[in-house]
Amino acid sequence: MAIETKGLSLWYGDFQALFDVDLSVREGQITSMIGPSGCGKSTFLRTINRINERHSYVRTEGGVEVFGEDVMAEDVELVQVRKQIGMVFQRPNALPISIRENVLFGLKLHSTKKMSRAKQDDEVEKALRRVLLWDTVKDRLGDVATSLSLEEQQKLCIARLLPMKPRVLLMDEPCSALDPKATSAVEDLIWELRGEYTILIVTHNMAQARRASDECIFMLMGKVIEHTKTEEMFLTPGHQETADYIEGRYG
Amino acid sequence: MSSFQTTDLNQSNRRKESLVRILLGMVTLTLIIPVGIILVTLIAKSEGTFSWAFFSEFPRNSMTEGGIFPALVGTLWLVAVALLASVPFGVAAAIYLSEYAEDTALTRAINLAIINLAGVPSIVHALFGVGAFVLFFEFGTSILAASLTMAVMTLPVVIVATRESLQAVPQPFREACWNMGATRWQTIWRIVLPNSISGILTGVILEVSRTVGETAPIMFTGAALFLPFLPTSVYDQTMAMSLHLYVISTQVPDVPEGLPYGVALTLIAIVMILNSVSIGFRTYLRGKKKW
Ligand SMILES: Nc1ncnc2c1ncn2[C@@H]1O[C@H](COP(=O)(O)OP(=O)(O)OP(=O)(O)O)[C@@H](O)[C@H]1O
Ligand SMILES: [Mg+2]
């Protein structure tokens, strides 16, 4: 299993956002996570790479294992966790530096010695090719990344994770700021990455979950209601709540 | 009847609208008038005062003749030393408060203290400076004591300006960095500071322009009425523009009328130039903004 949580609960102060979540996400697959607003999807994602903890009022209980290793353990290096578990956000957040520097940002953070220019060029090209962005930006790698279109920025946000060789990519509604055409382009890209990376993607778009994932998790009020093959969930949902949500009978 | 015709209500609203506009405009105008009068008076009355000698010579004949050279140099010393003291401390504190500190009772207390510090009258700062720097640390009446007093006084401005420019950097940039495994400092150094430096510099320049005009805090701590030589180290006393103006306007008999006006105009010119630089700088950098 790529990600496995056992009895995971989380509190923001007194407010409990996750209840006893047991989930296993399969390696190399795309797993989508759906559920109404506020049900704890983002919270779950942010717990896996332990980014939630920077709020002092957050308390977690239970275990999270990534490729069999306990990421909650005392001796775990958070920097390594975040390096190996990449995250893509709802709003593309390309950094206000050049396209090239965006791609190299993570690498530079984590390398002690200076990389040769040729090696850097190579990494930049590889990552940008992987996200189908190379041809559009290869002549303007020095331009500031925030001048790109949202679609391009979001692809860049994925590209900049790749040089760090992450094993898991967490995506929190990566297409919700994009128009339909850009959405489909980014979706295609995510599908491209299938197999090489384990991808957990939160989406409000039922069609997207259905099209673009192997397995699907349905959450409701901090609890996992159902987790099955995507096809099954959409054809024969096992719970009334799931059926209601899929058919749009929830807010 | 067409549905787009003016009604009585429209007309009465429009009348109110123009009335309000005129009223607000007039209030604004009355605010500018004093500034204009001050400037015009200064320029008119200081007629004939300015020459190269005015800026390059020492005062002569119990300050009724000669120039303002040592006061200009002294102000430069005071401001430079004050900046050297307040900017590193202020920026460091602002970075801590904006990027590291959790929202605890202690942080809130510190923030409150900073706001209150900004409200302390400058004469109180002056007395504090005498007690702390002149007497306790035994710097004597010196540039060091005077500048440190001004530094303490302007620290809140630096802290607040810096913190605001740091906070203007969108949070998602920080999150992107943290999620790639960047430490707080790596994030600050590579992303936050480069994108807030313009605001910080603007704050610093504004601080300078404030410092230039202050009289009270330097009066008892390091500025002298008259010195026949320039300071050579921070342990010397010095003349200063603001105090010089005060002295020749109120303490010295038989000063020719144009002289105080000339000093005042020079002082205002320095402040205005600094402010324009700061505003120009901000406009320039805002145009280059990357998000
Ligand atoms: N930093 C926080 N502090 C306090 N409460 C929070 C915080 N973040 C989220 N919550 C609360 O936790 C619950 C779950 O939020 P979360 O963002 O995980 O939901 P979500 O499923 O991602 O919703 P959406 O679909 O709107 O993104 C919500 O009720 C939210 O108000
Ligand atoms: Mg969310």
Side-chain angles (χ1 to χ4, degrees):
Chain A
M1 283 299 154
I3 304 170
E4 197 156 15
T5 67
K6 295 198 186 86
L8 182 65
S9 296
L10 181 142
W11 290 261
Y12 292 110
D14 293 331
F15 175 78
Q16 187 167 4
L18 294 178
F19 294 81
D20 232 347
V21 173
D22 294 305
L23 270 179
S24 330
V25 175
R26 272 177 220 286
E27 183 171 353
Q29 291 201 343
I30 300 178
T31 304
S32 60
M33 188 173 246
I34 57 173
S37 205
C39 70
K41 307 179 295 294
S42 301
T43 301
F44 181 77
L45 254 55
R46 295 157 78 79
T47 309
I48 294 170
N49 75 351
R50 292 186 58 181
I51 200 79
N52 251 338
E53 293 167 28
R54 68 198 157 80
H55 303 298
S56 56
Y57 55 90
V58 169
R59 189 164 61 85
T60 45
E61 252 174 37
V64 179
E65 286 184 3
V66 175
F67 293 105
E69 282 184 65
D70 182 4
V71 291
M72 296 301 213
E74 286 276 326
D75 60 346
V76 159
E77 172 60 56
L78 286 186
V79 169
Q80 287 300 333
V81 170
R82 290 176 194 157
K83 181 181 158 198
Q84 289 169 43
I85 305 176
M87 184 120 176
V88 180
F89 297 81
Q90 188 164 354
R91 294 243 9 128
N93 55 0
L95 294 168
I97 46 182
S98 72
I99 295 171
R100 183 188 150 84
E101 286 302 317
N102 260 277
V103 179
L104 293 171
F105 190 85
L107 267 190
K108 286 187 174 174
L109 286 178
H110 300 293
S111 61
T112 45
K113 52 181 190 306
K114 211 169 148 21
M115 236 183 302
S116 74
R117 181 85 192 181
K119 176 94 173 61
Q120 289 183 359
D121 290 343
D122 187 50
E123 289 287 353
V124 172
E125 179 169 350
K126 225 167 49 190
L128 290 175
R129 275 197 192 285
R130 199 77 185 79
V131 299
L132 317 171
L133 201 56
W134 175 251
D135 290 323
T136 20
V137 302
K138 65 171 185 283
D139 298 321
R140 47 183 174 128
L141 293 174
D143 287 7
V144 60
T146 37
S147 64
L148 294 172
S149 76
L150 283 180
E151 174 192 336
E152 291 162 343
Q153 283 193 44
Q154 195 61 303
K155 287 177 169 176
L156 181 63
C157 288
I158 297 173
R160 72 179 173 199
L161 301 173
L162 305 184
M164 291 188 281
K165 313 227 167 356
R167 306 173 70 183
V168 175
L169 297 179
L170 306 173
M171 305 190 177
D172 197 349
E173 305 182 41
C175 299
S176 65
L178 308 179
D179 63 39
K181 193 157 158 287
T183 298
S184 117
V186 171
E187 252 175 46
D188 288 349
L189 160 63
I190 294 171
W191 195 250
E192 271 281 303
L193 298 172
R194 186 178 174 278
E196 194 173 343
Y197 304 94
T198 302
I199 297 173
L200 179 56
I201 176 174
V202 170
T203 176
H204 275 284
N205 180 332
M206 289 309 112
Q208 180 176 68
R210 190 166 189 174
R211 267 196 307 268
S213 69
D214 301 289
E215 293 192 0
C216 191
I217 298 165
F218 172 63
M219 284 186 75
L220 192 59
M221 313 229 313
K223 299 192 179 87
V224 174
I225 302 296
E226 194 164 345
H227 177 191
T228 55
K229 294 232 171 311
T230 303
E231 237 168 290
E232 238 169 80
M233 182 171 300
F234 282 90
L235 286 177
T236 52
H239 291 76
Q240 189 54 43
E241 291 99 327
T242 318
D244 286 348
Y245 182 72
I246 292 172
E247 284 160 31
R249 267 175 275 157
Y250 268 99
Chain B
M1 190 169 143
S2 150
S3 52
F4 294 134
Q5 233 140 31
T6 316
T7 66
D8 287 349
L9 185 59
N10 292 149
Q11 266 175 354
S12 112
N13 277 341
R14 201 176 309 146
R15 270 195 302 278
K16 272 185 219 148
E17 175 70 22
S18 36
L19 195 71
V20 168
R21 178 191 281 262
I22 290 169
L23 262 173
L24 294 178
M26 267 160 46
V27 170
T28 312
L29 212 63
T30 50
L31 291 180
I32 304 173
I33 289 170
V35 181
I37 293 179
I38 291 177
L39 272 180
V40 170
T41 316
L42 284 180
I43 292 171
K45 298 250 185 176
S46 60
E47 171 93 75
T49 312
F50 295 110
S51 63
W52 176 240
F54 179 72
F55 296 107
S56 66
E57 283 182 4
F58 274 67
R60 274 178 283 117
N61 209 355
S62 9
M63 297 197 269
T64 54
E65 289 171 28
I68 56 165
F69 182 57
L72 268 178
V73 173
T75 291
L76 217 65
W77 270 90
L78 289 169
V79 169
V81 176
L83 276 182
L84 279 180
S86 63
V87 171
F89 278 97
V91 171
I95 290 178
Y96 179 77
L97 287 172
S98 156
E99 306 295 316
Y100 287 91
E102 303 252 1
D103 186 24
T104 62
L106 180 64
T107 329
R108 259 173 273 161
I110 293 176
N111 281 324
L112 200 66
I114 292 170
I115 295 168
N116 282 319
L117 196 60
V120 173
S122 56
I123 188 69
V124 176
H125 278 289
L127 295 176
F128 166 76
V130 173
F133 302 122
V134 177
L135 299 175
F136 183 77
F137 288 108
E138 298 183 348
F139 296 146
T141 45
S142 60
I143 292 177
L144 188 58
S147 291
L148 288 178
T149 307
M150 286 200 292
V152 171
M153 198 179 79
T154 48
L155 212 47
V157 185
V158 180
I159 294 177
V160 170
T162 307
R163 198 178 45 188
E164 272 167 14
S165 8
L166 292 174
Q167 236 118 66
V169 176
Q171 193 65 11
F173 292 156
R174 292 185 183 82
E175 288 180 356
C177 294
W178 296 336
N179 275 288
M180 281 189 273
T183 61
R184 294 249 165 182
W185 180 245
Q186 285 172 319
T187 307
I188 294 167
W189 185 247
R190 286 163 199 247
I191 299 296
V192 180
L193 273 183
N195 285 291
S196 54
I197 194 75
S198 61
I200 296 174
L201 287 179
T202 313
V204 168
I205 299 175
L206 283 176
E207 182 216 2
V208 175
S209 75
R210 249 171 56 109
T211 319
V212 167
E214 287 294 345
T215 319
I218 58 173
M219 212 150 130
F220 314 124
T221 51
L225 302 191
F226 175 73
L227 287 172
F229 46 79
L230 294 178
T232 54
S233 83
V234 292
Y235 295 107
D236 291 341
Q237 291 191 27
T238 182
M239 293 181 70
M241 288 293 289
S242 53
L243 187 63
H244 186 59
L245 175 59
Y246 170 69
V247 169
I248 59 173
S249 325
T250 62
Q251 310 289 306
V252 184
D254 303 326
V255 175
E257 212 203 354
L259 198 55
Y261 287 104
V263 176
L265 190 59
T266 313
L267 200 53
I268 289 189
I270 296 175
V271 172
M272 281 187 156
I273 289 170
L274 284 169
N275 285 348
S276 327
V277 168
S278 147
I279 290 166
F281 198 54
R282 195 168 41 197
T283 321
Y284 167 71
L285 283 157
R286 203 177 278 156
K288 282 202 346 178
K289 199 136 215 178
K290 305 201 191 78
W291 67 83

